[in-house]
Amino acid sequence: MSVETEKQRWQRNFTDLLQELRVAQTGVQILFAFLLTLPFSNGFPRATEFQKDTYIVALIAAAAATALIISPVAFHRALFRQGRKPELVRFAHAVATGGLAFMLIAMVSSVLLITDFVLPRGVALVLSGLTGAWFLTFWVGLPWLRRNWGEPDDEEGEGEFPDRDEVVGA
């Protein structure tokens, strides 16, 4: 196996980050599209003021998440071929983290909106709180705990998938 240069490492980091953002982008765009159509549905006029306020929080959070998760593409266009990949990766990491935070708010607000519409408010608040805890467990808690398990696979502390030949023993 050859040693990766710093330039190659930054390129790999950027490629890995873009793959992660593609997953997040799809989810937030589907949620955003749903939220955009909701006021035009027949049942929306029956929504309470609390539900409408919750809807606005979910909508704005989904819009913010979409903007942040897509922004590395615009940043890449602005810095294209300027040799500033480290800056791009750091920026993309920061906005991806912010985008996930807004996505969490949008998801929990959406759950609150729907559960408050069909269930008593107390039950809706409990279910929404559990939803938020569930997301935080998998998005923050487990990754934070995982950072101390074993030795890092490379100098960055980021694991890599083994080459195909290593997996099949060739």
Side-chain angles (χ1 to χ4, degrees):
M1 219 190 303
S2 65
V3 176
E4 183 178 51
T5 67
E6 185 175 350
K7 183 177 180 179
Q8 289 170 327
R9 183 171 52 89
W10 284 113
Q11 182 57 46
R12 179 181 51 81
N13 287 341
F14 183 64
T15 301
D16 290 348
L17 187 56
L18 285 181
Q19 287 295 86
E20 294 168 8
L21 290 173
R22 282 185 183 105
V23 172
Q25 180 182 357
T26 301
V28 76
Q29 285 179 321
I30 290 169
L31 177 60
F32 191 41
F34 162 74
L35 290 169
L36 288 173
T37 63
L38 195 57
F40 303 104
S41 66
N42 291 336
F44 195 77
R46 293 185 313 211
T48 66
E49 287 303 311
F50 175 78
Q51 291 164 350
K52 289 178 182 177
D53 291 344
T54 303
Y55 166 77
I56 294 298
V57 170
L59 180 69
I60 298 302
T66 301
L68 289 173
I69 288 170
I70 294 173
S71 70
V73 174
F75 203 77
H76 181 257
R77 288 292 90 210
L79 299 181
F80 189 66
R81 294 190 183 227
Q82 291 185 13
R84 295 169 61 187
K85 196 70 74 175
E87 181 182 350
L88 176 58
V89 170
R90 287 184 193 101
F91 171 81
H93 168 71
V95 296
T97 302
L100 288 174
F102 277 110
M103 187 185 239
L104 170 69
I105 294 167
M107 293 287 193
V108 173
S109 298
S110 296
V111 168
L112 179 58
L113 172 63
I114 301 305
T115 55
D116 190 67
F117 193 78
V118 298
L119 299 169
R121 176 142 321 140
V123 174
L125 290 170
V126 168
L127 290 175
S128 299
L130 290 172
T131 300
W134 186 256
F135 273 87
L136 288 171
T137 297
F138 286 96
W139 288 8
V140 179
L142 291 177
W144 186 79
L145 290 172
R146 170 61 179 99
R147 67 183 174 72
N148 292 323
W149 292 353
E151 295 295 319
D153 292 333
D154 64 15
E155 64 190 51
E156 299 174 77
E158 301 253 338
E160 291 182 347
F161 289 106
D163 291 336
R164 180 192 167 282
D165 293 340
E166 290 175 284
V167 172
V168 296

